[in-house]
């Protein structure tokens, strides 16, 4: 079943979008490095960093990422918003 979901959820990122996407994630990682956990987030900062780094590695090595995992991080009341609110 994992094979099926990998086919469905992993998307190839165009070369034109790879650099801007990489820069955004690296900037997010920079902010997360200075952040503390939020009691409202369902993910700790460390777990959020691991997820982004894994997707960044996949992007650089294969050009594919799990779009649903990354989309989730940026939703309202999702981990990045809750962490950001906790850290000003």
């Amino acid at each position: 079943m994992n094979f099926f979901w990998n086919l469905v959820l992993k998307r190839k990122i165009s070369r034109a979008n790879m650099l801007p996407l990489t820069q955004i994630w690296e900037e997010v990682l920079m902010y997360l490095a200075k952040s503390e956990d939020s009691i409202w987030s369902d993910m700790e900062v460390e777990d959020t960093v691991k997820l982004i780094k894994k997707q960044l590695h996949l992007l650089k090595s294969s050009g594919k990422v799990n779009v649903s995992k990354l989309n989730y991080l940026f939703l309202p009341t999702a981990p990045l918003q809750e962490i950001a609110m906790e850290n000003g």
Side-chain angles (χ1 to χ4, degrees):
M1 196 60 152
N2 278 342
F3 176 75
F4 173 75
W5 286 112
N6 281 332
L7 286 175
V8 171
L9 299 176
K10 285 193 178 175
R11 297 280 189 257
K12 182 88 171 159
I13 305 297
S14 71
R15 282 193 116 27
N17 292 328
M18 285 178 76
L19 182 60
L21 194 53
T22 301
Q23 291 171 335
I24 290 168
W25 289 343
E26 288 174 349
E27 188 171 345
V28 168
L29 288 171
M30 182 183 68
Y31 282 108
L32 287 171
K34 301 181 273 185
S35 297
E36 296 179 16
D37 292 332
S38 168
I39 62 169
W40 300 106
S41 177
D42 67 336
M43 291 178 71
E44 295 179 356
V45 171
E46 181 180 342
D47 296 329
T48 307
V49 167
K50 284 180 185 177
L51 191 149
I52 293 172
K53 283 185 176 182
K54 181 177 181 180
Q55 296 304 311
L56 189 55
H57 173 73
L58 286 171
L59 177 66
K60 289 179 179 180
S61 63
S62 69
K64 291 185 177 183
V65 294
N66 189 320
V67 176
S68 66
K69 286 184 180 182
L70 293 168
N71 282 344
Y72 168 70
L73 291 178
F74 288 92
L75 291 172
T77 71
L80 288 177
Q81 180 183 2
E82 298 298 337
I83 293 168
M85 289 174 62
E86 181 72 27
N87 291 276

Coordinates of all heavy atoms in Angstrom, one line a residue:
M1 N 0.8 -1.2 0.0 CA 0.0 0.0 0.0 C 0.9 1.3 0.0 O 0.5 2.3 -0.6 CB -0.9 0.0 1.2 CG -2.0 0.9 1.1 SD -3.1 0.6 -0.3 CE -4.6 1.2 0.2
N2 N 2.0 1.2 0.7 CA 2.9 2.4 0.7 C 3.3 2.8 -0.7 O 3.5 4.0 -1.1 CB 4.1 2.2 1.5 CG 3.8 2.4 3.0 OD1 2.8 3.1 3.3 ND2 4.7 1.9 3.9
F3 N 3.6 1.8 -1.6 CA 4.0 2.1 -2.9 C 2.9 2.9 -3.7 O 3.2 3.9 -4.3 CB 4.2 0.8 -3.7 CG 4.6 1.0 -5.1 CD1 5.8 1.4 -5.5 CD2 3.6 0.7 -6.1 CE1 6.1 1.6 -6.9 CE2 3.9 0.9 -7.5 CZ 5.1 1.4 -7.8
F4 N 1.6 2.5 -3.5 CA 0.5 3.2 -4.1 C 0.5 4.7 -3.6 O 0.4 5.6 -4.4 CB -0.8 2.5 -3.8 CG -2.0 3.3 -4.3 CD1 -2.3 3.4 -5.6 CD2 -2.8 4.0 -3.4 CE1 -3.4 4.1 -6.0 CE2 -3.9 4.7 -3.8 CZ -4.2 4.8 -5.1
W5 N 0.6 4.9 -2.3 CA 0.5 6.2 -1.8 C 1.7 7.1 -2.2 O 1.6 8.3 -2.5 CB 0.4 6.2 -0.3 CG -1.0 5.8 0.1 CD1 -1.4 4.7 0.7 CD2 -2.2 6.5 -0.2 NE1 -2.8 4.6 0.9 CE2 -3.3 5.7 0.3 CE3 -2.5 7.7 -0.8 CZ2 -4.6 6.1 0.2 CZ3 -3.9 8.1 -0.9 CH2 -4.9 7.3 -0.4
N6 N 2.9 6.5 -2.3 CA 4.0 7.2 -2.8 C 3.8 7.7 -4.3 O 4.2 8.8 -4.6 CB 5.3 6.4 -2.7 CG 5.9 6.3 -1.3 OD1 5.7 7.3 -0.6 ND2 6.6 5.3 -1.0
L7 N 3.2 6.8 -5.1 CA 2.9 7.2 -6.4 C 1.9 8.4 -6.5 O 2.0 9.3 -7.3 CB 2.3 6.0 -7.2 CG 3.3 5.0 -7.7 CD1 2.5 3.8 -8.4 CD2 4.4 5.5 -8.6
V8 N 0.9 8.3 -5.6 CA -0.2 9.3 -5.6 C 0.3 10.6 -5.0 O 0.0 11.7 -5.5 CB -1.4 8.8 -4.8 CG1 -2.4 9.9 -4.6 CG2 -2.0 7.6 -5.5
L9 N 1.0 10.6 -3.9 CA 1.4 11.8 -3.1 C 2.7 12.4 -3.5 O 2.9 13.6 -3.3 CB 1.4 11.4 -1.6 CG 0.0 10.9 -1.1 CD1 0.2 10.6 0.4 CD2 -1.0 12.0 -1.3
K10 N 3.6 11.7 -4.1 CA 4.9 12.3 -4.5 C 4.8 12.9 -5.8 O 4.3 12.3 -6.8 CB 6.0 11.3 -4.5 CG 6.5 10.9 -3.1 CD 7.7 10.2 -3.1 CE 8.1 9.9 -1.6 NZ 9.3 9.1 -1.6
R11 N 5.1 14.2 -5.9 CA 5.0 14.9 -7.1 C 6.4 15.4 -7.6 O 7.2 15.8 -6.8 CB 4.1 16.1 -6.9 CG 2.7 15.8 -6.6 CD 1.9 15.4 -7.8 NE 0.5 15.4 -7.5 CZ -0.1 14.2 -7.3 NH1 0.5 13.1 -7.4 NH2 -1.4 14.2 -7.0
K12 N 6.6 15.3 -8.9 CA 7.8 15.9 -9.5 C 7.7 17.4 -9.5 O 6.7 17.9 -10.0 CB 8.0 15.3 -10.9 CG 9.2 15.7 -11.6 CD 10.3 14.8 -11.3 CE 11.5 15.1 -12.2 NZ 12.7 14.6 -11.7
I13 N 8.7 18.1 -9.1 CA 8.7 19.5 -9.0 C 9.6 20.0 -10.3 O 10.6 19.5 -10.5 CB 9.4 20.1 -7.7 CG1 8.7 19.5 -6.5 CG2 9.4 21.6 -7.7 CD1 7.2 19.9 -6.4
S14 N 9.0 21.0 -11.0 CA 9.7 21.4 -12.2 C 11.0 22.1 -11.8 O 11.2 22.7 -10.7 CB 8.8 22.4 -13.0 OG 8.7 23.6 -12.2
R15 N 12.0 22.1 -12.7 CA 13.3 22.7 -12.4 C 13.2 24.2 -12.1 O 13.9 24.7 -11.2 CB 14.2 22.5 -13.6 CG 14.8 21.1 -13.6 CD 15.9 21.0 -14.6 NE 17.3 20.7 -14.3 CZ 17.8 20.0 -13.3 NH1 17.0 19.6 -12.4 NH2 19.1 19.8 -13.2
A16 N 12.2 24.8 -12.7 CA 12.1 26.3 -12.5 C 11.6 26.6 -11.1 O 11.9 27.6 -10.5 CB 11.1 26.9 -13.5
N17 N 10.9 25.6 -10.5 CA 10.3 25.8 -9.1 C 11.2 25.3 -8.0 O 11.0 25.5 -6.9 CB 9.0 25.2 -9.0 CG 7.9 25.9 -9.8 OD1 8.0 27.1 -10.0 ND2 7.0 25.2 -10.4
M18 N 12.2 24.5 -8.4 CA 13.1 23.8 -7.4 C 13.9 24.9 -6.6 O 13.9 24.8 -5.3 CB 14.0 22.8 -8.0 CG 13.3 21.6 -8.4 SD 14.4 20.4 -9.2 CE 15.3 19.8 -7.8
L19 N 14.5 25.8 -7.2 CA 15.3 26.8 -6.5 C 14.5 27.7 -5.5 O 14.8 27.8 -4.3 CB 16.1 27.7 -7.4 CG 17.0 28.7 -6.8 CD1 18.1 28.0 -5.9 CD2 17.7 29.5 -7.8
P20 N 13.4 28.3 -6.0 CA 12.6 29.1 -5.1 C 12.0 28.2 -3.9 O 12.0 28.7 -2.8 CB 11.4 29.6 -5.9 CG 11.8 29.5 -7.3 CD 12.8 28.4 -7.3
L21 N 11.6 27.0 -4.2 CA 11.1 26.1 -3.1 C 12.2 25.8 -2.1 O 11.9 25.8 -0.9 CB 10.5 24.9 -3.8 CG 9.6 24.0 -2.9 CD1 8.5 24.8 -2.3 CD2 9.1 22.8 -3.7
T22 N 13.3 25.5 -2.6 CA 14.5 25.2 -1.7 C 14.8 26.4 -0.9 O 15.0 26.2 0.3 CB 15.7 24.8 -2.6 OG1 15.4 23.6 -3.4 CG2 16.9 24.5 -1.7
Q23 N 14.8 27.6 -1.4 CA 15.1 28.8 -0.7 C 14.0 29.0 0.4 O 14.4 29.4 1.6 CB 15.2 30.0 -1.6 CG 16.4 30.0 -2.5 CD 16.4 31.0 -3.5 OE1 15.3 31.5 -3.9 NE2 17.5 31.4 -4.0
I24 N 12.8 28.8 0.1 CA 11.7 29.0 1.1 C 11.9 28.0 2.3 O 11.8 28.4 3.4 CB 10.3 28.8 0.4 CG1 10.0 29.9 -0.5 CG2 9.2 28.6 1.5 CD1 8.8 29.7 -1.4
W25 N 12.1 26.7 2.0 CA 12.3 25.7 3.0 C 13.5 26.0 3.9 O 13.5 25.8 5.1 CB 12.4 24.3 2.4 CG 11.1 23.9 1.9 CD1 9.8 24.4 2.2 CD2 10.9 22.8 1.0 NE1 8.9 23.7 1.5 CE2 9.5 22.7 0.8 CE3 11.7 21.9 0.4 CZ2 8.9 21.8 -0.1 CZ3 11.1 21.0 -0.5 CH2 9.8 20.9 -0.7
E26 N 14.6 26.5 3.2 CA 15.8 26.8 4.0 C 15.6 28.0 4.9 O 16.0 28.0 6.1 CB 17.0 27.0 3.1 CG 17.5 25.7 2.5 CD 18.6 25.8 1.4 OE1 18.8 27.0 1.0 OE2 19.1 24.8 1.1
E27 N 14.8 28.9 4.5 CA 14.4 30.1 5.3 C 13.5 29.6 6.5 O 13.7 30.1 7.6 CB 13.7 31.2 4.5 CG 13.5 32.5 5.3 CD 13.1 33.6 4.5 OE1 13.1 33.5 3.2 OE2 12.6 34.6 5.1
V28 N 12.6 28.8 6.2 CA 11.7 28.2 7.3 C 12.5 27.5 8.3 O 12.3 27.6 9.5 CB 10.6 27.3 6.7 CG1 9.9 26.5 7.7 CG2 9.6 28.1 5.8
L29 N 13.5 26.7 7.8 CA 14.4 26.0 8.7 C 15.2 26.9 9.6 O 15.4 26.6 10.8 CB 15.3 25.0 8.0 CG 14.7 23.8 7.4 CD1 15.6 23.1 6.4 CD2 14.2 22.9 8.4
M30 N 15.6 28.0 9.0 CA 16.3 29.0 9.8 C 15.5 29.6 11.0 O 16.0 29.7 12.1 CB 16.8 30.2 8.9 CG 17.6 31.3 9.6 SD 18.0 32.6 8.4 CE 16.3 33.3 8.2
Y31 N 14.2 29.9 10.7 CA 13.3 30.3 11.7 C 13.1 29.2 12.8 O 13.0 29.5 14.0 CB 12.0 30.8 11.2 CG 12.1 32.2 10.5 CD1 12.1 32.3 9.2 CD2 12.2 33.3 11.3 CE1 12.1 33.6 8.6 CE2 12.3 34.6 10.8 CZ 12.3 34.7 9.4 OH 12.3 36.0 8.8
L32 N 12.9 28.0 12.3 CA 12.6 26.9 13.2 C 13.8 26.6 14.1 O 13.6 26.2 15.3 CB 12.2 25.7 12.4 CG 10.9 25.6 11.8 CD1 10.7 24.4 10.9 CD2 9.8 25.6 12.9
A33 N 15.0 26.9 13.7 CA 16.2 26.7 14.5 C 16.2 27.6 15.8 O 16.8 27.2 16.8 CB 17.4 26.9 13.7
K34 N 15.5 28.7 15.7 CA 15.4 29.6 16.8 C 14.1 29.5 17.6 O 13.8 30.3 18.4 CB 15.5 31.1 16.3 CG 16.8 31.3 15.5 CD 16.9 32.8 15.1 CE 16.2 32.9 13.8 NZ 16.3 34.3 13.2
S35 N 13.3 28.5 17.3 CA 11.9 28.4 17.8 C 11.8 27.4 18.9 O 12.6 26.4 19.0 CB 10.9 28.0 16.7 OG 10.9 29.0 15.7
E36 N 10.8 27.6 19.7 CA 10.5 26.7 20.8 C 9.2 26.0 20.4 O 8.4 26.5 19.6 CB 10.3 27.4 22.1 CG 11.6 28.0 22.6 CD 11.4 28.8 23.9 OE1 10.4 28.6 24.6 OE2 12.3 29.6 24.2
D37 N 8.9 24.8 21.0 CA 7.7 24.1 20.8 C 6.4 24.9 21.2 O 6.5 25.7 22.1 CB 7.7 22.7 21.5 CG 8.7 21.8 21.0 OD1 9.1 21.9 19.8 OD2 9.2 20.9 21.8
S38 N 5.4 24.6 20.5 CA 4.1 25.2 20.9 C 3.2 24.1 21.5 O 3.1 23.0 21.0 CB 3.4 25.7 19.6 OG 2.0 26.1 19.9
I39 N 2.5 24.5 22.6 CA 1.6 23.5 23.2 C 0.4 23.2 22.3 O -0.3 22.2 22.5 CB 1.1 24.0 24.6 CG1 0.3 25.3 24.5 CG2 2.3 24.1 25.5 CD1 -0.4 25.7 25.8
W40 N 0.2 24.1 21.3 CA -1.0 23.9 20.5 C -0.7 23.1 19.2 O -1.6 22.6 18.6 CB -1.6 25.3 20.0 CG -2.0 26.1 21.2 CD1 -1.3 27.1 21.7 CD2 -3.1 25.9 22.0 NE1 -2.0 27.6 22.8 CE2 -3.1 26.8 23.0 CE3 -4.2 24.9 22.0 CZ2 -4.1 26.9 24.0 CZ3 -5.1 25.0 23.0 CH2 -5.1 26.0 24.0
S41 N 0.6 23.0 18.9 CA 0.9 22.2 17.7 C 0.9 20.7 17.9 O 1.3 20.3 19.0 CB 2.3 22.7 17.2 OG 2.7 21.9 16.1
D42 N 0.5 20.0 16.9 CA 0.6 18.5 17.1 C 1.9 17.9 16.7 O 2.2 16.7 16.8 CB -0.5 17.8 16.2 CG -0.3 18.0 14.7 OD1 0.4 18.9 14.3 OD2 -0.8 17.2 14.0
M43 N 2.9 18.8 16.3 CA 4.2 18.4 16.0 C 5.2 19.3 16.8 O 5.0 20.5 16.8 CB 4.5 18.5 14.5 CG 3.8 17.5 13.6 SD 4.2 17.7 11.9 CE 5.9 17.2 11.8
E44 N 6.2 18.7 17.3 CA 7.3 19.5 18.0 C 8.2 20.1 16.9 O 8.2 19.7 15.7 CB 8.1 18.6 18.9 CG 7.3 18.1 20.1 CD 8.1 17.2 21.0 OE1 9.3 16.9 20.7 OE2 7.5 16.8 22.0
V45 N 8.9 21.1 17.3 CA 9.8 21.8 16.3 C 10.7 20.8 15.7 O 11.0 20.8 14.5 CB 10.6 23.0 17.0 CG1 11.6 23.5 16.1 CG2 9.6 24.0 17.5
E46 N 11.3 19.9 16.5 CA 12.3 18.9 16.0 C 11.7 18.0 14.9 O 12.3 17.8 13.9 CB 12.8 18.1 17.1 CG 13.8 17.1 16.8 CD 14.3 16.3 17.9 OE1 14.1 16.7 19.1 OE2 14.8 15.2 17.7
D47 N 10.5 17.6 15.1 CA 9.8 16.8 14.1 C 9.5 17.5 12.9 O 9.6 17.0 11.8 CB 8.5 16.2 14.7 CG 8.7 15.3 15.9 OD1 9.8 14.6 15.9 OD2 7.9 15.2 16.8
T48 N 9.1 18.8 13.0 CA 8.8 19.6 11.8 C 10.1 19.8 11.0 O 10.0 19.7 9.8 CB 8.2 21.0 12.3 OG1 7.1 20.7 13.2 CG2 7.8 21.8 11.1
V49 N 11.2 20.1 11.7 CA 12.5 20.2 11.0 C 12.9 18.9 10.3 O 13.3 19.0 9.1 CB 13.6 20.6 12.0 CG1 15.0 20.5 11.4 CG2 13.3 22.1 12.5
K50 N 12.7 17.8 10.9 CA 13.0 16.5 10.3 C 12.2 16.3 9.0 O 12.7 15.9 8.0 CB 12.8 15.4 11.3 CG 13.8 15.2 12.3 CD 13.5 14.1 13.2 CE 14.5 14.0 14.4 NZ 14.1 12.9 15.3
L51 N 10.9 16.6 9.1 CA 10.0 16.4 7.9 C 10.5 17.3 6.8 O 10.6 16.9 5.6 CB 8.6 16.7 8.3 CG 7.5 16.3 7.3 CD1 6.3 15.9 8.0 CD2 7.3 17.4 6.3
I52 N 10.8 18.6 7.1 CA 11.2 19.5 6.0 C 12.5 19.1 5.5 O 12.7 19.1 4.2 CB 11.2 21.0 6.5 CG1 9.8 21.4 6.9 CG2 11.9 21.9 5.5 CD1 9.7 22.8 7.6
K53 N 13.5 18.7 6.3 CA 14.8 18.3 5.8 C 14.7 17.1 4.9 O 15.4 17.0 3.9 CB 15.7 18.1 7.0 CG 16.3 19.3 7.6 CD 17.3 19.1 8.7 CE 17.9 20.4 9.2 NZ 18.9 20.1 10.2
K54 N 13.8 16.1 5.3 CA 13.7 14.9 4.5 C 13.1 15.3 3.1 O 13.6 14.8 2.1 CB 12.7 13.9 5.2 CG 12.6 12.7 4.4 CD 11.7 11.6 5.2 CE 11.6 10.4 4.3 NZ 10.8 9.4 5.0
Q55 N 12.1 16.1 3.1 CA 11.5 16.5 1.8 C 12.5 17.4 1.0 O 12.5 17.2 -0.2 CB 10.2 17.3 2.0 CG 9.1 16.5 2.7 CD 8.8 15.2 1.9 OE1 8.6 15.2 0.7 NE2 8.8 14.1 2.7
L56 N 13.3 18.2 1.7 CA 14.3 19.0 1.0 C 15.4 18.0 0.3 O 15.8 18.2 -0.8 CB 15.0 19.9 2.0 CG 15.9 21.0 1.4 CD1 15.2 21.8 0.4 CD2 16.4 21.9 2.6
H57 N 15.8 17.0 1.1 CA 16.7 16.0 0.6 C 16.1 15.3 -0.7 O 16.8 15.1 -1.7 CB 17.1 15.0 1.6 CG 17.9 13.9 1.1 ND1 19.3 14.1 0.8 CD2 17.6 12.6 0.9 CE1 19.7 12.9 0.4 NE2 18.8 12.0 0.4
L58 N 14.8 14.9 -0.6 CA 14.2 14.3 -1.7 C 14.1 15.2 -2.9 O 14.3 14.7 -4.0 CB 12.8 13.8 -1.3 CG 12.7 12.6 -0.4 CD1 11.2 12.4 0.1 CD2 13.2 11.4 -1.1
L59 N 13.8 16.4 -2.7 CA 13.7 17.4 -3.8 C 15.1 17.5 -4.5 O 15.2 17.5 -5.7 CB 13.3 18.8 -3.2 CG 13.2 19.9 -4.3 CD1 12.1 19.6 -5.3 CD2 13.0 21.2 -3.6
K60 N 16.1 17.6 -3.7 CA 17.5 17.8 -4.3 C 18.0 16.6 -5.0 O 18.7 16.6 -6.0 CB 18.5 18.3 -3.2 CG 18.2 19.7 -2.7 CD 19.2 20.1 -1.6 CE 19.0 21.5 -1.2 NZ 20.0 21.9 -0.1
S61 N 17.6 15.4 -4.4 CA 18.1 14.1 -5.0 C 17.3 13.6 -6.2 O 17.8 13.1 -7.1 CB 18.3 13.1 -3.9 OG 17.0 12.7 -3.4
S62 N 16.0 13.7 -6.1 CA 15.1 13.1 -7.1 C 14.2 14.1 -7.8 O 13.5 13.8 -8.8 CB 14.3 12.0 -6.5 OG 13.3 12.5 -5.6
G63 N 14.0 15.3 -7.2 CA 13.1 16.3 -7.8 C 11.7 16.0 -7.4 O 10.8 16.7 -7.9
K64 N 11.5 15.0 -6.5 CA 10.1 14.7 -6.0 C 9.9 15.0 -4.5 O 10.9 14.8 -3.8 CB 9.8 13.2 -6.3 CG 9.7 12.9 -7.7 CD 9.3 11.4 -7.9 CE 9.1 11.1 -9.4 NZ 8.6 9.7 -9.5
V65 N 8.7 15.4 -4.2 CA 8.4 15.6 -2.7 C 7.0 15.1 -2.5 O 6.2 14.9 -3.4 CB 8.5 17.1 -2.3 CG1 9.9 17.6 -2.4 CG2 7.6 17.9 -3.2
N66 N 6.8 14.8 -1.2 CA 5.4 14.5 -0.8 C 4.7 15.7 -0.5 O 4.8 16.4 0.6 CB 5.5 13.6 0.5 CG 4.1 13.0 0.8 OD1 3.1 13.7 0.7 ND2 4.2 11.8 1.2
V67 N 3.9 16.1 -1.5 CA 3.2 17.4 -1.5 C 2.2 17.5 -0.3 O 2.1 18.5 0.3 CB 2.5 17.7 -2.8 CG1 1.7 19.0 -2.8 CG2 3.5 17.7 -3.9
S68 N 1.5 16.4 0.0 CA 0.5 16.5 1.0 C 1.1 16.7 2.4 O 0.6 17.5 3.2 CB -0.3 15.2 1.1 OG 0.5 14.1 1.4
K69 N 2.3 16.2 2.7 CA 3.0 16.4 4.0 C 3.4 17.9 4.1 O 3.2 18.5 5.1 CB 4.2 15.6 4.1 CG 3.9 14.1 4.4 CD 5.1 13.3 4.7 CE 4.7 11.9 5.0 NZ 5.9 11.1 5.3
L70 N 3.9 18.5 3.0 CA 4.3 19.9 3.0 C 3.1 20.8 3.1 O 3.1 21.8 3.8 CB 5.2 20.2 1.9 CG 6.6 19.4 2.0 CD1 7.3 19.5 0.7 CD2 7.4 20.0 3.1
N71 N 2.1 20.5 2.3 CA 0.9 21.3 2.3 C 0.3 21.4 3.8 O -0.1 22.4 4.2 CB -0.2 20.8 1.4 CG 0.1 21.1 0.0 OD1 0.9 22.0 -0.3 ND2 -0.6 20.5 -0.9
Y72 N 0.3 20.2 4.4 CA -0.2 20.2 5.8 C 0.5 21.2 6.7 O -0.1 21.8 7.5 CB -0.1 18.8 6.4 CG -0.3 18.7 7.8 CD1 -1.6 18.9 8.3 CD2 0.7 18.5 8.7 CE1 -1.9 18.9 9.7 CE2 0.4 18.5 10.1 CZ -0.8 18.7 10.6 OH -1.1 18.7 11.9
L73 N 1.8 21.3 6.6 CA 2.6 22.2 7.5 C 2.2 23.6 7.4 O 2.2 24.4 8.3 CB 4.1 22.1 7.2 CG 4.8 20.8 7.5 CD1 6.2 20.8 7.1 CD2 4.7 20.5 9.0
F74 N 1.7 24.0 6.2 CA 1.4 25.4 5.9 C -0.1 25.8 6.1 O -0.5 26.9 5.9 CB 1.8 25.8 4.5 CG 3.3 25.9 4.4 CD1 4.1 24.8 4.0 CD2 4.0 27.1 4.7 CE1 5.5 24.9 4.0 CE2 5.4 27.2 4.6 CZ 6.1 26.1 4.3
L75 N -0.9 24.8 6.5 CA -2.4 25.1 6.7 C -2.6 25.9 7.9 O -1.8 26.0 8.8 CB -3.1 23.7 6.8 CG -3.2 22.8 5.6 CD1 -3.8 21.5 6.0 CD2 -4.0 23.5 4.5
P76 N -3.7 26.6 7.9 CA -4.1 27.4 9.1 C -4.2 26.4 10.3 O -4.8 25.3 10.2 CB -5.4 28.0 8.8 CG -5.5 28.0 7.3 CD -4.7 26.8 6.9
T77 N -3.7 26.8 11.4 CA -3.7 26.1 12.7 C -2.8 24.8 12.6 O -2.9 23.9 13.4 CB -5.1 25.7 13.2 OG1 -5.7 24.7 12.4 CG2 -5.9 26.9 13.4
A78 N -2.0 24.7 11.6 CA -1.1 23.5 11.4 C 0.2 23.9 12.1 O 0.4 25.0 12.7 CB -0.8 23.3 9.9
P79 N 1.2 22.9 12.2 CA 2.4 23.1 13.0 C 3.1 24.5 12.8 O 3.5 25.1 13.7 CB 3.3 21.9 12.6 CG 2.3 20.9 12.3 CD 1.2 21.6 11.6
L80 N 3.4 24.9 11.5 CA 4.1 26.1 11.3 C 3.5 27.3 11.8 O 4.1 28.2 12.4 CB 4.5 26.3 9.8 CG 5.5 25.3 9.3 CD1 5.7 25.5 7.8 CD2 6.8 25.4 10.0
Q81 N 2.2 27.4 11.7 CA 1.4 28.6 12.2 C 1.5 28.6 13.7 O 1.7 29.6 14.3 CB 0.0 28.6 11.7 CG -0.7 29.8 12.3 CD -2.2 29.9 11.9 OE1 -2.7 29.0 11.2 NE2 -2.9 30.9 12.3
E82 N 1.2 27.4 14.3 CA 1.2 27.4 15.8 C 2.6 27.7 16.4 O 2.7 28.4 17.4 CB 0.7 26.0 16.2 CG -0.7 25.7 15.8 CD -1.7 26.6 16.4 OE1 -1.5 27.3 17.4 OE2 -2.8 26.7 15.8
I83 N 3.7 27.1 15.8 CA 5.0 27.4 16.2 C 5.3 28.9 16.0 O 5.9 29.5 16.9 CB 6.0 26.5 15.5 CG1 5.8 25.0 15.9 CG2 7.5 26.9 15.8 CD1 6.6 24.0 15.0
A84 N 5.0 29.4 14.9 CA 5.2 30.8 14.7 C 4.5 31.7 15.7 O 5.1 32.7 16.2 CB 4.8 31.2 13.2
M85 N 3.3 31.4 16.0 CA 2.5 32.2 16.9 C 3.1 32.1 18.3 O 3.2 33.1 19.1 CB 1.1 31.8 16.9 CG 0.3 32.2 15.7 SD -1.3 31.5 15.6 CE -2.1 32.3 17.0
E86 N 3.6 31.0 18.7 CA 4.2 30.8 20.0 C 5.5 31.5 20.1 O 5.9 32.0 21.2 CB 4.5 29.3 20.2 CG 5.1 28.9 21.5 CD 4.2 29.1 22.7 OE1 3.0 28.9 22.5 OE2 4.7 29.3 23.8
N87 N 6.2 31.7 19.0 CA 7.5 32.4 19.0 C 7.5 33.8 18.5 O 8.6 34.4 18.2 CB 8.5 31.5 18.2 CG 8.8 30.2 18.9 OD1 9.6 30.2 19.8 ND2 8.1 29.1 18.6
G88 N 6.4 34.4 18.3 CA 6.3 35.8 17.9 C 6.6 36.0 16.5 O 7.0 37.0 16.0

